Amino acid sequence: MKKNLLSPAVAGCVALLLLLTSTGYAQPKSFKISGVIKDSAQKPLTFVTVSLFKQQQLQQPLRSSYTNDAGKFQFNAVDTGAYTVIVSHTGFAEKQEKITVTDKDIAMTDMSLVRAAASLQGVTVTSRKPLIEQTDDKIIFNVENDPATKTETAIDILRKTPFVSVDGDDNVQVNGQTNFKV
């Protein structure tokens, strides 16, 4: 009867390889940035566009999100480094806050947005559109302003659109209704 046993050198190499892959090449830890956006009366603001930029690169956001009904936002899986969070909402002045992620999750202090002045002295046009625009009769989700949509399918984008739900069979509902046109 013949036995196939690994030689001691091969067994040692396999053990060393297993040890290195389990300990030596651990993934770097990522962190979470979260916060709450309120108005000057300290009421939470809904659908505020929150964008995360590298501190010296304010042309293209790394991530964009919007606040929920409680005014909360969150960015997951953020690496260490220096960032700028830019908050904008229709009718309010834009606000920027610099943060540094080092070794723990960041819970930003509540940010208050101030209403934009009612009388116009001049108009300044910026090229940055908010992720969510809310008007009297509709809500617009600007897909081109979400960096993640470059790699997502249309169904993935619809899943994170406000008031739209997609079930496991990819059936789309808007406000719980299925009778709509796209």
Side-chain angles (χ1 to χ4, degrees):
M1 188 180 226
K2 198 174 187 183
K3 292 184 180 178
N4 287 332
L5 296 175
L6 294 175
S7 70
V10 172
C13 288
V14 169
L16 181 61
L17 181 64
L18 288 174
L19 180 65
L20 285 176
T21 56
S22 66
T23 60
Y25 294 103
Q27 293 292 325
K29 188 168 181 187
S30 60
F31 301 97
K32 178 174 53 174
I33 298 173
S34 60
V36 178
I37 310 298
K38 297 180 178 182
D39 63 7
S40 58
Q42 298 303 306
K43 292 182 183 176
L45 289 172
T46 307
F47 299 128
V48 175
T49 301
V50 183
S51 300
L52 182 68
F53 295 85
K54 278 286 195 189
Q55 197 154 36
Q56 300 300 324
Q57 301 168 355
L58 299 181
Q59 297 79 22
Q60 182 67 28
L62 296 173
R63 301 208 181 117
S64 289
S65 184
Y66 56 90
T67 58
N68 62 13
D69 292 338
K72 295 180 180 180
F73 71 91
Q74 181 171 308
F75 294 113
N76 294 318
V78 177
D79 293 332
T80 57
Y83 298 95
T84 300
V85 175
I86 297 180
V87 180
S88 61
H89 192 51
T90 307
F92 291 88
E94 182 177 278
K95 189 165 191 176
Q96 296 185 13
E97 188 164 323
K98 295 180 180 187
I99 58 170
T100 302
V101 178
T102 53
D103 60 350
K104 61 182 177 180
D105 292 342
I106 302 292
M108 297 177 66
T109 59
D110 291 356
M111 295 176 72
S112 294
L113 293 183
V114 179
R115 287 229 176 251
S119 61
L120 294 177
Q121 298 295 331
V123 176
T124 303
V125 178
T126 59
S127 63
R128 195 177 309 140
K129 281 173 106 177
L131 186 62
I132 302 288
E133 291 181 67
Q134 187 173 6
T135 62
D136 292 337
D137 60 341
K138 62 185 170 185
I139 293 178
I140 301 167
F141 183 80
N142 292 312
V143 176
E144 68 271 8
N145 294 342
D146 189 0
T149 59
K150 292 177 179 126
T151 59
E152 293 178 334
T153 64
I155 292 294
D156 293 334
I157 294 168
L158 285 172
R159 280 193 174 97
K160 63 182 187 179
T161 304
F163 303 115
V164 176
S165 60
V166 180
D167 64 13
D169 295 326
D170 294 340
N171 296 317
V172 179
Q173 292 183 345
V174 176
N175 282 337
Q177 304 292 322
T178 57
N179 55 349
F180 61 92
K181 286 185 179 181
V182 177

